[in-house]
Amino acid sequence: MRVFLSLIVQFLLIYPISAQDLNNEYKKLSVQIVKTALTDQKGYQLLKDLCAIGPRLSGYPSSYEAIDWCAAQLDSLDCDRIWLHSVMIPRWFRGETEEAFYTSTNKTEKQELNINALGGSIGTPQDGISAEVLEVHSFDELQEKAEQARGKIIFFNRPFDQSVLYSFAGYGGAVNQRTKGAIEAAKVGGVASLVRSVTSLNDNVPHTGVMYYEDGISKIPSAAVGVQDANMLSDALKDDPSLKLTLKLSCENLPEEESYNVIGEIKGTKYPQEVIVVGGHLDAWDKGDGAHDDGAGCVQSLEVLYLLKKLGIKPSRTIRCVLFMDEEQHQTGAKAYGYYASYAPEKHLAAIESDRGGFTPRGFNVTADPVIIEKMQNWLPYLKNASIDWIRKGGSGPDIARIKNATALIGYVPDGQRYFDYHHSANDVVEAVHPRELELGSAAMTILTYLISEEGL
Amino acid sequence: MRVFLSLIVQFLLIYPISAQDLNNEYKKLSVQIVKTALTDQKGYQLLKDLCAIGPRLSGYPSSYEAIDWCAAQLDSLDCDRIWLHSVMIPRWFRGETEEAFYTSTNKTEKQELNINALGGSIGTPQDGISAEVLEVHSFDELQEKAEQARGKIIFFNRPFDQSVLYSFAGYGGAVNQRTKGAIEAAKVGGVASLVRSVTSLNDNVPHTGVMYYEDGISKIPSAAVGVQDANMLSDALKDDPSLKLTLKLSCENLPEEESYNVIGEIKGTKYPQEVIVVGGHLDAWDKGDGAHDDGAGCVQSLEVLYLLKKLGIKPSRTIRCVLFMDEEQHQTGAKAYGYYASYAPEKHLAAIESDRGGFTPRGFNVTADPVIIEKMQNWLPYLKNASIDWIRKGGSGPDIARIKNATALIGYVPDGQRYFDYHHSANDVVEAVHPRELELGSAAMTILTYLISEEGL
């Protein structure tokens, strides 16, 4: 009898709340998190402020203002620890001039094209580069036409594939023209590369992004052109294959400089050495506000801390907001943080990244042991309150993927149908983000963060 | 041995394709449906054309043009049968004048308000109604303040609840002010009702919608006011509770007239007497294009037929596109079709309605026997290709709900976070519809229609 009583006491000590009550606590809390996010719209207010600062491309003057602004937000959230994590960043500046036009052989009138230099590109001589154009749709086609390429501007014109469900696959099917076009063009003697904007929108706004060079292959200038102008140029080339295109870019690569990941955390009450990272990247392309990419991820990560504080939640594990620098170009911020995580005397239990825009939540992609993924799938009833329908095995995100020793890497997945309308372009402004959609993302990340913190993995 | 062989032959006759092959056929076809929808964007092209016709409010001249246009589309789709299903519709016309302004007692300057008459409202005398204003937030509050109400314009100012996940619940929590405000106001001697627009957007565009009168209670004019102007008026009333508001409306109710549901079908090859309806409503509020509500549902229903035809699919059961008239006001079209279905010598196996906007697919709500819902849930692997994550028991839609003898009533559920930004207002234009999101909805409806057609319920 005593043994039995002692067992009951033990049970009550271990389970002060019954499983059912616990369940209800999480249920109530998840509803409260969603309600508070949608009512306060703190993330959306933060996004408006962040986007007002100015271009956040790494190394740009206003990127440092944005760093200070983020640190101030973390401070106002009363974080237990805030630090600027030093990173050396290579810099690329767009400069004033980006201009392209063509003139047909039998005409004197110039036809201007909407272009943006690609990130990392060298500039042209001040008078620009003028040359005939070779249009291709793939690197294979370029190989086949290699003999016609010498001395020409190579025009990569393969469109974004609209026919696939996952817009990221549409993007993935076209983006090598941007990232590697200059290398392939230079190999066959091209003097510059002009790339059709990789976008799901049929407008004429250029979409920029990073491009690479390869050691031992000459560096040539590279720019993106709006899709409507890409179509116009393609038509013009059919009429007049020897039209002349002039490209002027004043962009330049500058010596590397110190910049920072911005980090703030709430210390865990029970397991302070176990860390859950929530993050996005602070740098953004300069033509728009970087509202979806990745202002949204930054303010959602800040809002996770805000919502925990606002609701008086004291998490058992440490919740750390990491706003990464230089994702768009060299991921030096992510690499530095990953290196830090590799030796820090703490355990990275999980990292959650938001870098797919501020759209309505759909699910979470998880890179972890199947048992852990299954455990997380049991939490879907709570996450459904924030419009999360699934948790799946899948890739996480470019920044947190560098935290090699984390138990679970988790990518927040909002609906993706509109993302590439805005991505890397002047379209990516705060007005393109819907407050309710953004806030539900913050709520989803907060609920998942809290569940990991309390339940472990 | 012979018995065994005969069994094999029987098996081969019953299952000419193995279960696995059948599975793969559906898989392939569902991918093809999605690909074709996203590539051709037929629905989006149709939506642009439909929206260009003009206001489709039932009885409006251009609603008849829209009817003809739909019939022409069904004809160009080579339907086996097209018919205009006669409906008598009560008519309400907005007229030229809708104006509201207030003047504070100590000022002479008029402050104009953005308003729209509510559908069904009587007009005001030509000089308008001028009266003091009583602001309330609920019918209970109106009862409490009944003594102050006589001779006043009752201003219903309860906001849309942003804190709930389902925007339809936010709408549901505020819309009785619009539908029944004039009745409740008249009961306590109010001379007109002015209602805060029921919208999730913080702009100043009025959102209209239907309102009702009750027999034996006097009819008073009723209008919706933009939310920013509602806030301004509320502030002004705090400063000056006896300010005078003037309301001028020239709207009127006209005698009923004949209009039409537009219907077209592809006859089933095996079970022509078993019908699957796909539909939306053709009428729309007049201030915008009715692009989301419910141009989207109409063109998606047309596109189901288009996609089947384009892919050479000959469905076993009859697929019938029904574009309902007069959903927004009296549902006379739905009632007429429901009555027809009650005696027609055919079986309504299922009806699928799209009337929640042209946003990214999330799921289907189904009203049917649980066994049928479970059967449909087994089809999710095919539907996931069109971004459908779930099939649940739930309400279908206001039009098909009148088909009382259908085996399954199915509501298509796209993401709902942005719907009430546009709903019933000048914001509801074709530019607010994203082609990829719209097309995925068409694809989802087509896949489900085809599966029901081939597998039965």
PDB file of all heavy atoms in Angstrom, chain A residues 64-89:
ATOM      1  N   TYR A  64      24.443  49.397 -41.935  1.00  0.00           N
ATOM      2  CA  TYR A  64      24.925  49.604 -40.559  1.00  0.00           C
ATOM      3  C   TYR A  64      23.853  50.263 -39.696  1.00  0.00           C
ATOM      4  O   TYR A  64      23.707  49.949 -38.515  1.00  0.00           O
ATOM      5  CB  TYR A  64      26.226  50.416 -40.568  1.00  0.00           C
ATOM      6  CG  TYR A  64      27.353  49.622 -41.214  1.00  0.00           C
ATOM      7  CD1 TYR A  64      27.673  49.793 -42.559  1.00  0.00           C
ATOM      8  CD2 TYR A  64      28.041  48.652 -40.489  1.00  0.00           C
ATOM      9  CE1 TYR A  64      28.652  49.029 -43.175  1.00  0.00           C
ATOM     10  CE2 TYR A  64      29.037  47.882 -41.091  1.00  0.00           C
ATOM     11  CZ  TYR A  64      29.334  48.073 -42.436  1.00  0.00           C
ATOM     12  OH  TYR A  64      30.302  47.299 -43.030  1.00  0.00           O
ATOM     13  N   GLU A  65      23.080  51.156 -40.329  1.00  0.00           N
ATOM     14  CA  GLU A  65      21.934  51.722 -39.593  1.00  0.00           C
ATOM     15  C   GLU A  65      20.948  50.620 -39.223  1.00  0.00           C
ATOM     16  O   GLU A  65      20.383  50.618 -38.122  1.00  0.00           O
ATOM     17  CB  GLU A  65      21.205  52.751 -40.467  1.00  0.00           C
ATOM     18  CG  GLU A  65      21.907  54.092 -40.575  1.00  0.00           C
ATOM     19  CD  GLU A  65      21.125  55.024 -41.499  1.00  0.00           C
ATOM     20  OE1 GLU A  65      19.932  55.286 -41.230  1.00  0.00           O
ATOM     21  OE2 GLU A  65      21.717  55.464 -42.509  1.00  0.00           O
ATOM     22  N   ALA A  66      20.741  49.693 -40.161  1.00  0.00           N
ATOM     23  CA  ALA A  66      19.803  48.591 -39.894  1.00  0.00           C
ATOM     24  C   ALA A  66      20.320  47.716 -38.752  1.00  0.00           C
ATOM     25  O   ALA A  66      19.539  47.231 -37.919  1.00  0.00           O
ATOM     26  CB  ALA A  66      19.597  47.762 -41.162  1.00  0.00           C
ATOM     27  N   ILE A  67      21.624  47.493 -38.719  1.00  0.00           N
ATOM     28  CA  ILE A  67      22.226  46.721 -37.620  1.00  0.00           C
ATOM     29  C   ILE A  67      21.939  47.406 -36.284  1.00  0.00           C
ATOM     30  O   ILE A  67      21.493  46.758 -35.324  1.00  0.00           O
ATOM     31  CB  ILE A  67      23.746  46.553 -37.861  1.00  0.00           C
ATOM     32  CG1 ILE A  67      23.976  45.564 -39.013  1.00  0.00           C
ATOM     33  CG2 ILE A  67      24.467  46.110 -36.584  1.00  0.00           C
ATOM     34  CD1 ILE A  67      25.400  45.546 -39.549  1.00  0.00           C
ATOM     35  N   ASP A  68      22.168  48.704 -36.239  1.00  0.00           N
ATOM     36  CA  ASP A  68      21.907  49.449 -34.999  1.00  0.00           C
ATOM     37  C   ASP A  68      20.427  49.394 -34.621  1.00  0.00           C
ATOM     38  O   ASP A  68      20.070  49.250 -33.451  1.00  0.00           O
ATOM     39  CB  ASP A  68      22.334  50.925 -35.159  1.00  0.00           C
ATOM     40  CG  ASP A  68      23.847  51.060 -35.240  1.00  0.00           C
ATOM     41  OD1 ASP A  68      24.554  50.103 -34.835  1.00  0.00           O
ATOM     42  OD2 ASP A  68      24.321  52.109 -35.727  1.00  0.00           O
ATOM     43  N   TRP A  69      19.587  49.530 -35.633  1.00  0.00           N
ATOM     44  CA  TRP A  69      18.132  49.490 -35.392  1.00  0.00           C
ATOM     45  C   TRP A  69      17.724  48.132 -34.794  1.00  0.00           C
ATOM     46  O   TRP A  69      16.951  48.083 -33.834  1.00  0.00           O
ATOM     47  CB  TRP A  69      17.400  49.757 -36.709  1.00  0.00           C
ATOM     48  CG  TRP A  69      15.907  49.696 -36.608  1.00  0.00           C
ATOM     49  CD1 TRP A  69      15.059  50.713 -36.290  1.00  0.00           C
ATOM     50  CD2 TRP A  69      15.083  48.547 -36.814  1.00  0.00           C
ATOM     51  NE1 TRP A  69      13.765  50.276 -36.289  1.00  0.00           N
ATOM     52  CE2 TRP A  69      13.743  48.954 -36.603  1.00  0.00           C
ATOM     53  CE3 TRP A  69      15.335  47.215 -37.166  1.00  0.00           C
ATOM     54  CZ2 TRP A  69      12.673  48.072 -36.740  1.00  0.00           C
ATOM     55  CZ3 TRP A  69      14.266  46.336 -37.292  1.00  0.00           C
ATOM     56  CH2 TRP A  69      12.950  46.769 -37.082  1.00  0.00           C
ATOM     57  N   CYS A  70      18.276  47.048 -35.351  1.00  0.00           N
ATOM     58  CA  CYS A  70      17.934  45.712 -34.836  1.00  0.00           C
ATOM     59  C   CYS A  70      18.400  45.556 -33.392  1.00  0.00           C
ATOM     60  O   CYS A  70      17.675  45.018 -32.547  1.00  0.00           O
ATOM     61  CB  CYS A  70      18.587  44.613 -35.688  1.00  0.00           C
ATOM     62  SG  CYS A  70      17.826  44.456 -37.304  1.00  0.00           S
ATOM     63  N   ALA A  71      19.608  46.013 -33.133  1.00  0.00           N
ATOM     64  CA  ALA A  71      20.131  45.915 -31.764  1.00  0.00           C
ATOM     65  C   ALA A  71      19.234  46.703 -30.811  1.00  0.00           C
ATOM     66  O   ALA A  71      18.945  46.243 -29.691  1.00  0.00           O
ATOM     67  CB  ALA A  71      21.565  46.420 -31.719  1.00  0.00           C
ATOM     68  N   ALA A  72      18.780  47.863 -31.257  1.00  0.00           N
ATOM     69  CA  ALA A  72      17.890  48.678 -30.414  1.00  0.00           C
ATOM     70  C   ALA A  72      16.562  47.955 -30.164  1.00  0.00           C
ATOM     71  O   ALA A  72      16.001  48.016 -29.070  1.00  0.00           O
ATOM     72  CB  ALA A  72      17.642  50.039 -31.074  1.00  0.00           C
ATOM     73  N   GLN A  73      16.053  47.258 -31.184  1.00  0.00           N
ATOM     74  CA  GLN A  73      14.808  46.494 -30.990  1.00  0.00           C
ATOM     75  C   GLN A  73      15.003  45.402 -29.953  1.00  0.00           C
ATOM     76  O   GLN A  73      14.157  45.185 -29.074  1.00  0.00           O
ATOM     77  CB  GLN A  73      14.333  45.872 -32.310  1.00  0.00           C
ATOM     78  CG  GLN A  73      14.007  46.853 -33.414  1.00  0.00           C
ATOM     79  CD  GLN A  73      13.135  47.996 -32.943  1.00  0.00           C
ATOM     80  OE1 GLN A  73      12.133  47.785 -32.271  1.00  0.00           O
ATOM     81  NE2 GLN A  73      13.541  49.220 -33.262  1.00  0.00           N
ATOM     82  N   LEU A  74      16.126  44.694 -30.078  1.00  0.00           N
ATOM     83  CA  LEU A  74      16.419  43.615 -29.119  1.00  0.00           C
ATOM     84  C   LEU A  74      16.540  44.190 -27.712  1.00  0.00           C
ATOM     85  O   LEU A  74      16.094  43.579 -26.741  1.00  0.00           O
ATOM     86  CB  LEU A  74      17.705  42.881 -29.527  1.00  0.00           C
ATOM     87  CG  LEU A  74      17.586  42.038 -30.803  1.00  0.00           C
ATOM     88  CD1 LEU A  74      18.966  41.646 -31.325  1.00  0.00           C
ATOM     89  CD2 LEU A  74      16.742  40.783 -30.552  1.00  0.00           C
ATOM     90  N   ASP A  75      17.121  45.368 -27.636  1.00  0.00           N
ATOM     91  CA  ASP A  75      17.268  46.035 -26.344  1.00  0.00           C
ATOM     92  C   ASP A  75      15.892  46.387 -25.774  1.00  0.00           C
ATOM     93  O   ASP A  75      15.619  46.146 -24.594  1.00  0.00           O
ATOM     94  CB  ASP A  75      18.115  47.298 -26.536  1.00  0.00           C
ATOM     95  CG  ASP A  75      18.541  47.884 -25.201  1.00  0.00           C
ATOM     96  OD1 ASP A  75      18.963  47.097 -24.321  1.00  0.00           O
ATOM     97  OD2 ASP A  75      18.426  49.105 -25.029  1.00  0.00           O
ATOM     98  N   SER A  76      15.034  46.913 -26.623  1.00  0.00           N
ATOM     99  CA  SER A  76      13.711  47.315 -26.129  1.00  0.00           C
ATOM    100  C   SER A  76      12.879  46.084 -25.767  1.00  0.00           C
ATOM    101  O   SER A  76      11.889  46.183 -25.045  1.00  0.00           O
ATOM    102  CB  SER A  76      12.994  48.182 -27.153  1.00  0.00           C
ATOM    103  OG  SER A  76      12.476  47.373 -28.180  1.00  0.00           O
ATOM    104  N   LEU A  77      13.276  44.918 -26.277  1.00  0.00           N
ATOM    105  CA  LEU A  77      12.583  43.670 -25.907  1.00  0.00           C
ATOM    106  C   LEU A  77      13.148  43.097 -24.607  1.00  0.00           C
ATOM    107  O   LEU A  77      12.739  42.022 -24.176  1.00  0.00           O
ATOM    108  CB  LEU A  77      12.706  42.638 -27.030  1.00  0.00           C
ATOM    109  CG  LEU A  77      11.873  42.918 -28.278  1.00  0.00           C
ATOM    110  CD1 LEU A  77      12.267  41.985 -29.412  1.00  0.00           C
ATOM    111  CD2 LEU A  77      10.383  42.768 -27.957  1.00  0.00           C
ATOM    112  N   ASP A  78      14.115  43.820 -24.051  1.00  0.00           N
ATOM    113  CA  ASP A  78      14.666  43.432 -22.752  1.00  0.00           C
ATOM    114  C   ASP A  78      15.322  42.048 -22.822  1.00  0.00           C
ATOM    115  O   ASP A  78      15.087  41.175 -21.975  1.00  0.00           O
ATOM    116  CB  ASP A  78      13.527  43.460 -21.708  1.00  0.00           C
ATOM    117  CG  ASP A  78      14.072  43.442 -20.292  1.00  0.00           C
ATOM    118  OD1 ASP A  78      15.245  43.828 -20.113  1.00  0.00           O
ATOM    119  OD2 ASP A  78      13.322  43.022 -19.377  1.00  0.00           O
ATOM    120  N   CYS A  79      16.141  41.842 -23.848  1.00  0.00           N
ATOM    121  CA  CYS A  79      16.834  40.562 -24.002  1.00  0.00           C
ATOM    122  C   CYS A  79      17.854  40.366 -22.888  1.00  0.00           C
ATOM    123  O   CYS A  79      18.382  41.323 -22.341  1.00  0.00           O
ATOM    124  CB  CYS A  79      17.541  40.515 -25.357  1.00  0.00           C
ATOM    125  SG  CYS A  79      16.426  40.149 -26.708  1.00  0.00           S
ATOM    126  N   ASP A  80      18.111  39.104 -22.582  1.00  0.00           N
ATOM    127  CA  ASP A  80      19.102  38.811 -21.549  1.00  0.00           C
ATOM    128  C   ASP A  80      20.520  39.032 -22.057  1.00  0.00           C
ATOM    129  O   ASP A  80      21.448  39.231 -21.272  1.00  0.00           O
ATOM    130  CB  ASP A  80      18.941  37.358 -21.077  1.00  0.00           C
ATOM    131  CG  ASP A  80      17.585  37.152 -20.417  1.00  0.00           C
ATOM    132  OD1 ASP A  80      17.197  38.005 -19.599  1.00  0.00           O
ATOM    133  OD2 ASP A  80      16.899  36.169 -20.757  1.00  0.00           O
ATOM    134  N   ARG A  81      20.677  38.954 -23.346  1.00  0.00           N
ATOM    135  CA  ARG A  81      22.006  39.119 -23.922  1.00  0.00           C
ATOM    136  C   ARG A  81      21.824  39.589 -25.364  1.00  0.00           C
ATOM    137  O   ARG A  81      20.980  39.061 -26.093  1.00  0.00           O
ATOM    138  CB  ARG A  81      22.729  37.760 -23.901  1.00  0.00           C
ATOM    139  CG  ARG A  81      24.161  37.799 -24.374  1.00  0.00           C
ATOM    140  CD  ARG A  81      24.735  36.383 -24.339  1.00  0.00           C
ATOM    141  NE  ARG A  81      26.017  36.302 -24.998  1.00  0.00           N
ATOM    142  CZ  ARG A  81      26.491  35.212 -25.613  1.00  0.00           C
ATOM    143  NH1 ARG A  81      25.791  34.097 -25.624  1.00  0.00           N
ATOM    144  NH2 ARG A  81      27.671  35.229 -26.195  1.00  0.00           N
ATOM    145  N   ILE A  82      22.606  40.591 -25.733  1.00  0.00           N
ATOM    146  CA  ILE A  82      22.567  41.100 -27.115  1.00  0.00           C
ATOM    147  C   ILE A  82      24.008  41.212 -27.569  1.00  0.00           C
ATOM    148  O   ILE A  82      24.853  41.721 -26.813  1.00  0.00           O
ATOM    149  CB  ILE A  82      21.923  42.510 -27.181  1.00  0.00           C
ATOM    150  CG1 ILE A  82      20.472  42.471 -26.667  1.00  0.00           C
ATOM    151  CG2 ILE A  82      21.976  43.072 -28.597  1.00  0.00           C
ATOM    152  CD1 ILE A  82      19.895  43.838 -26.385  1.00  0.00           C
ATOM    153  N   TRP A  83      24.318  40.699 -28.739  1.00  0.00           N
ATOM    154  CA  TRP A  83      25.667  40.966 -29.218  1.00  0.00           C
ATOM    155  C   TRP A  83      25.749  41.108 -30.723  1.00  0.00           C
ATOM    156  O   TRP A  83      24.920  40.578 -31.455  1.00  0.00           O
ATOM    157  CB  TRP A  83      26.687  39.994 -28.634  1.00  0.00           C
ATOM    158  CG  TRP A  83      26.898  38.652 -29.271  1.00  0.00           C
ATOM    159  CD1 TRP A  83      27.894  38.320 -30.137  1.00  0.00           C
ATOM    160  CD2 TRP A  83      26.177  37.439 -29.035  1.00  0.00           C
ATOM    161  NE1 TRP A  83      27.835  36.990 -30.444  1.00  0.00           N
ATOM    162  CE2 TRP A  83      26.794  36.421 -29.783  1.00  0.00           C
ATOM    163  CE3 TRP A  83      25.060  37.106 -28.253  1.00  0.00           C
ATOM    164  CZ2 TRP A  83      26.343  35.100 -29.782  1.00  0.00           C
ATOM    165  CZ3 TRP A  83      24.603  35.794 -28.251  1.00  0.00           C
ATOM    166  CH2 TRP A  83      25.240  34.820 -29.000  1.00  0.00           C
ATOM    167  N   LEU A  84      26.723  41.929 -31.132  1.00  0.00           N
ATOM    168  CA  LEU A  84      27.016  42.079 -32.555  1.00  0.00           C
ATOM    169  C   LEU A  84      28.152  41.123 -32.859  1.00  0.00           C
ATOM    170  O   LEU A  84      29.233  41.226 -32.290  1.00  0.00           O
ATOM    171  CB  LEU A  84      27.420  43.517 -32.872  1.00  0.00           C
ATOM    172  CG  LEU A  84      26.360  44.585 -32.618  1.00  0.00           C
ATOM    173  CD1 LEU A  84      26.828  45.960 -33.126  1.00  0.00           C
ATOM    174  CD2 LEU A  84      25.029  44.225 -33.295  1.00  0.00           C
ATOM    175  N   HIS A  85      27.856  40.184 -33.717  1.00  0.00           N
ATOM    176  CA  HIS A  85      28.788  39.102 -34.025  1.00  0.00           C
ATOM    177  C   HIS A  85      29.566  39.499 -35.281  1.00  0.00           C
ATOM    178  O   HIS A  85      29.002  39.557 -36.378  1.00  0.00           O
ATOM    179  CB  HIS A  85      27.974  37.822 -34.241  1.00  0.00           C
ATOM    180  CG  HIS A  85      28.791  36.606 -34.499  1.00  0.00           C
ATOM    181  ND1 HIS A  85      28.380  35.607 -35.336  1.00  0.00           N
ATOM    182  CD2 HIS A  85      29.999  36.216 -34.021  1.00  0.00           C
ATOM    183  CE1 HIS A  85      29.293  34.652 -35.376  1.00  0.00           C
ATOM    184  NE2 HIS A  85      30.279  34.997 -34.589  1.00  0.00           N
ATOM    185  N   SER A  86      30.835  39.766 -35.079  1.00  0.00           N
ATOM    186  CA  SER A  86      31.663  40.344 -36.140  1.00  0.00           C
ATOM    187  C   SER A  86      31.858  39.396 -37.335  1.00  0.00           C
ATOM    188  O   SER A  86      32.084  38.203 -37.163  1.00  0.00           O
ATOM    189  CB  SER A  86      33.029  40.717 -35.537  1.00  0.00           C
ATOM    190  OG  SER A  86      33.903  41.095 -36.564  1.00  0.00           O
ATOM    191  N   VAL A  87      31.749  39.951 -38.526  1.00  0.00           N
ATOM    192  CA  VAL A  87      31.910  39.194 -39.776  1.00  0.00           C
ATOM    193  C   VAL A  87      32.672  40.067 -40.762  1.00  0.00           C
ATOM    194  O   VAL A  87      32.356  41.252 -40.891  1.00  0.00           O
ATOM    195  CB  VAL A  87      30.541  38.911 -40.445  1.00  0.00           C
ATOM    196  CG1 VAL A  87      30.698  37.927 -41.570  1.00  0.00           C
ATOM    197  CG2 VAL A  87      29.502  38.469 -39.442  1.00  0.00           C
ATOM    198  N   MET A  88      33.651  39.510 -41.465  1.00  0.00           N
ATOM    199  CA  MET A  88      34.298  40.266 -42.542  1.00  0.00           C
ATOM    200  C   MET A  88      33.535  39.993 -43.836  1.00  0.00           C
ATOM    201  O   MET A  88      33.372  38.846 -44.239  1.00  0.00           O
ATOM    202  CB  MET A  88      35.772  39.850 -42.692  1.00  0.00           C
ATOM    203  CG  MET A  88      36.632  40.269 -41.504  1.00  0.00           C
ATOM    204  SD  MET A  88      36.523  42.052 -41.101  1.00  0.00           S
ATOM    205  CE  MET A  88      37.346  42.751 -42.537  1.00  0.00           C
ATOM    206  N   ILE A  89      33.062  41.046 -44.462  1.00  0.00           N
ATOM    207  CA  ILE A  89      32.240  40.877 -45.678  1.00  0.00           C
ATOM    208  C   ILE A  89      32.916  41.491 -46.901  1.00  0.00           C
ATOM    209  O   ILE A  89      33.367  42.622 -46.888  1.00  0.00           O
ATOM    210  CB  ILE A  89      30.860  41.549 -45.502  1.00  0.00           C
ATOM    211  CG1 ILE A  89      31.032  42.991 -44.970  1.00  0.00           C
ATOM    212  CG2 ILE A  89      29.949  40.754 -44.614  1.00  0.00           C
ATOM    213  CD1 ILE A  89      29.902  43.893 -45.338  1.00  0.00           C
TER     214      ILE A  89
END
